[in-house]
Amino acid sequence: MNYKTSGVCSKEIQLEIEDDIIKSVNFVGGCSGNTQGISKLVEGMSVNEVINRLEGVKCGFRPTSCPDQLAQALKAYSHK
């Protein structure tokens, strides 16, 4: 699944999900170290657990962040 982000430096999030478990996450753009760290931390976690942990995280004064955009991508996946 590919998700076009909004309001953040990254442009897209590429996700591989199997049986509601996150297998891999790749952010296109954004702060490389942070997005790689997020990706490694959420691999192996359930979709709902990641949504619950990351939804609503803000980046400075922005109303969203790369972690929040990941949660939004997973919500879009869940509502398919």
Side-chain angles (χ1 to χ4, degrees), residues 53-69:
R53 289 177 181 232
L54 299 181
E55 186 173 28
V57 172
K58 297 180 179 167
C59 184
F61 293 106
R62 294 178 183 173
T64 189
S65 65
C66 289
D68 180 63
Q69 287 294 295

Side-chain angles (χ1 to χ4, degrees), residues 1-73:
M1 168 186 175
N2 293 340
Y3 180 82
K4 299 290 183 192
T5 60
S6 175
V8 294
C9 299
S10 63
K11 303 294 179 210
E12 181 179 86
I13 304 171
Q14 301 164 341
L15 298 156
E16 183 182 346
I17 301 168
E18 185 177 303
D19 298 324
D20 279 344
I21 301 297
I22 299 169
K23 297 298 180 185
S24 69
V25 177
N26 181 48
F27 286 82
V28 177
C31 303
S32 181
N34 289 334
T35 56
Q36 286 181 62
I38 293 165
S39 298
K40 295 291 183 190
L41 288 170
V42 302
E43 286 177 7
M45 291 175 66
S46 73
V47 167
N48 286 333
E49 183 175 2
V50 174
I51 292 169
N52 290 336
R53 289 177 181 232
L54 299 181
E55 186 173 28
V57 172
K58 297 180 179 167
C59 184
F61 293 106
R62 294 178 183 173
T64 189
S65 65
C66 289
D68 180 63
Q69 287 294 295
L70 175 56
Q72 300 310 312

